[in-house]
Amino acid sequence: MRDKNSWVKASLQASFGLTSKRLELVLDQYESLDQAIEDNFLKLKNTKNNWLEKFDTTKISEKAAKIQEQCENENIRYICIDDQNYPQSLLSLHTPPVGFFYKGDLDLFQSRFKITIVGSRSVSNLAEAMINSIIRPAISSDITIVSGLAYGIDTLAHKIAVSQNHKTLAVIGSGLDKQSFYPKENLNLGDQILAGGGLIISEYGPLVQPNRFTFPARNRILAAISNLTIVVQASLKSGTLITAGAARDLGKTVATFPVSPFEKSFAGNLELIKNGANVITESQDIIDLLGINQMLNNQESQKTFNSDLEAEVYKQLDITPITIDDLVEKMNISLSDLQMHLTMLEMSGYVRSAGNNQWLIIR
């Protein structure tokens, strides 16, 4: 925790119903939530219809201690909306989470290219084929997959990232503790996500079981995190369309796959296309929608090199590591000259060593 009041804030959210709207009421009376806590909310207790009037600070503190113990036992952390490290992307929501619980690397929110992938819990052969033949080839180490760690499409999306040793971000609709984690079948996948440097977050505290309200609330967070939301497979009544609608309302890009109108389990895809969603038919469409090539071309044009040979060495590198031996053979250059140019490029921040005499570019 970054400050002594963090677990109190977690308690207020998890046990006493502190929402973003109620936080506004607090901030009408206080300069900060910390100030309100230190003052034991005395100003609020003098107002009518106060949501805290039936609670006392002793109960809040007792709950905070229990939540802290539960979270520390399972390495769960909490961040409040008033923390300077709270993700900016979530502030765009009409009702941003007052805070959220998390496991893993919070810096994953800073990833430049993020794709939210959602879809049906019952995956058709066609949907699985589209994921493997179109989405999988488009995913590089520059791209973070975001999904809900639920059955079906979500599971496949996270597995793509894990199988390629890429970090992935999951948003779930239950507590992060093992007792509440949903679905239980994906606990192992969750461990793999964390082992790979990924992140799992939830708006809900320990021991909170999922219900019909937690998943739609979770979907708005999925929509806010990424600039691109891809719907793989959705029926007309699919909850996935809630995510797509939330993304559209936030001004995000929504995309999906065109399919036959006779495929009822994809009827939601066609409805999205009717309403202006982008169409994906190949991997390059995903790259284009993210604007990766345009951004990288702009960055490449701004690079300066000490010599033409140094520039040529840089051109031979990619985001996939290549060995020095392969570079020597490819460029017909001496090992000493190559090492010198790689050192200069590394000092410029253009490349880095991947270990085992392998090098790759930095994007």
Side-chain angles (χ1 to χ4, degrees):
M1 284 297 143
R2 294 183 172 87
D3 64 72
K4 65 180 182 179
N5 290 326
S6 289
W7 290 118
V8 175
K9 296 172 185 177
S11 170
L12 288 168
Q13 178 182 349
S15 302
F16 298 100
L18 179 63
T19 63
S20 56
K21 290 184 178 180
R22 285 172 173 172
L23 180 59
E24 289 179 9
L25 296 177
V26 175
L27 298 180
D28 281 342
Q29 301 293 324
Y30 293 97
E31 291 183 3
S32 68
L33 182 54
D34 284 302
Q35 188 183 83
I37 292 170
E38 297 298 333
D39 189 47
N40 293 326
F41 297 93
L42 290 179
K43 292 181 181 179
L44 283 172
K45 291 178 180 178
N46 294 325
T47 62
K48 293 182 179 180
N49 300 317
N50 166 41
W51 63 279
L52 272 176
E53 63 184 3
K54 60 182 177 180
F55 307 117
D56 59 44
T57 53
T58 300
K59 290 182 180 179
I60 293 173
S61 297
E62 288 174 352
K63 283 286 188 181
K66 289 181 180 179
I67 289 174
Q68 180 177 1
E69 181 180 6
Q70 291 166 337
C71 288
E72 289 183 344
N73 285 340
E74 298 201 36
N75 197 30
I76 299 170
R77 289 170 284 179
Y78 175 82
I79 185 168
C80 187
I81 196 170
D82 60 0
D83 191 296
Q84 62 180 1
N85 294 307
Y86 185 90
Q88 291 294 310
S89 58
L90 300 186
L91 294 176
S92 63
L93 288 166
H94 178 63
T95 56
V98 168
F100 59 85
F101 298 81
Y102 69 97
K103 287 184 175 184
D105 184 6
L106 197 63
D107 287 341
L108 205 54
F109 269 99
Q110 307 305 319
S111 173
R112 285 188 300 174
F113 304 116
K114 294 185 287 292
I115 301 175
T116 292
I117 298 177
V118 291
S120 173
R121 297 188 178 193
S122 299
V123 184
S124 68
N125 291 335
L126 177 57
E128 188 167 359
M130 290 189 298
I131 287 175
N132 286 315
S133 62
I134 298 178
I135 294 181
R136 182 186 291 273
I139 304 303
S140 70
S141 58
D142 287 345
I143 297 173
T144 297
I145 288 180
V146 179
S147 198
L149 202 54
Y151 295 115
I153 297 298
D154 290 14
T155 296
L156 289 178
H158 291 300
K159 283 183 174 180
I160 286 176
V162 169
S163 68
Q164 298 186 106
N165 298 315
H166 298 329
K167 297 178 180 181
T168 180
L169 194 164
V171 187
I172 69 173
S174 68
L176 292 173
D177 58 292
K178 287 183 170 58
Q179 181 177 335
S180 310
F181 194 98
Y182 182 86
K184 289 285 192 298
E185 290 80 359
N186 276 349
L187 264 173
N188 183 57
L189 179 56
D191 289 340
Q192 292 177 49
I193 288 172
L194 296 175
L199 174 67
I200 306 176
I201 74 170
S202 175
E203 198 171 1
Y204 307 103
L207 306 181
V208 175
Q209 299 293 326
N211 58 50
R212 64 191 182 95
F213 301 108
T214 61
F215 292 110
R218 182 273 312 268
N219 290 346
R220 83 190 196 287
I221 298 176
L222 286 171
I225 292 175
S226 306
N227 286 326
L228 171 62
T229 292
I230 296 178
V231 177
V232 178
Q233 174 186 346
S235 65
L236 282 176
K237 296 183 179 181
S238 173
T240 297
L241 298 183
I242 296 176
T243 308
R248 185 177 56 245
D249 292 343
L250 289 168
K252 310 281 189 170
T253 302
V254 177
T256 190
F257 298 94
V259 292
S260 165
F262 300 106
E263 295 279 354
K264 297 302 181 184
S265 62
F266 287 85
N269 296 44
L270 297 181
E271 190 66 21
L272 288 172
I273 293 172
K274 283 183 189 178
N275 291 323
N278 292 272
V279 173
I280 295 173
T281 60
E282 60 182 3
S283 298
Q284 187 60 44
D285 293 333
I286 298 174
I287 303 300
D288 292 342
L289 287 171
L290 285 171
I292 291 178
N293 287 340
Q294 182 178 354
M295 181 180 293
L296 294 180
N297 287 337
N298 290 339
Q299 292 176 348
E300 295 299 306
S301 65
Q302 295 172 7
K303 285 184 169 62
T304 58
F305 301 97
N306 296 302
S307 67
D308 291 342
L309 187 52
E310 183 181 300
E312 188 60 31
V313 170
Y314 178 81
K315 289 179 182 178
Q316 300 303 319
L317 297 171
D318 203 337
I319 59 173
T320 303
I322 184 172
T323 67
I324 284 183
D325 290 341
D326 287 341
L327 279 171
V328 168
E329 183 177 350
K330 194 173 184 181
M331 296 189 65
N332 192 25
I333 187 177
S334 70
L335 178 59
S336 59
D337 284 348
L338 177 59
Q339 289 175 326
M340 178 189 69
H341 291 304
L342 287 172
T343 299
M344 296 301 294
L345 288 167
E346 184 177 31
M347 291 174 63
S348 297
Y350 298 162
V351 307
R352 69 175 177 85
S353 170
N356 299 319
N357 287 323
Q358 298 184 96
W359 289 80
L360 72 163
I361 63 173
I362 297 174
R363 287 183 177 173

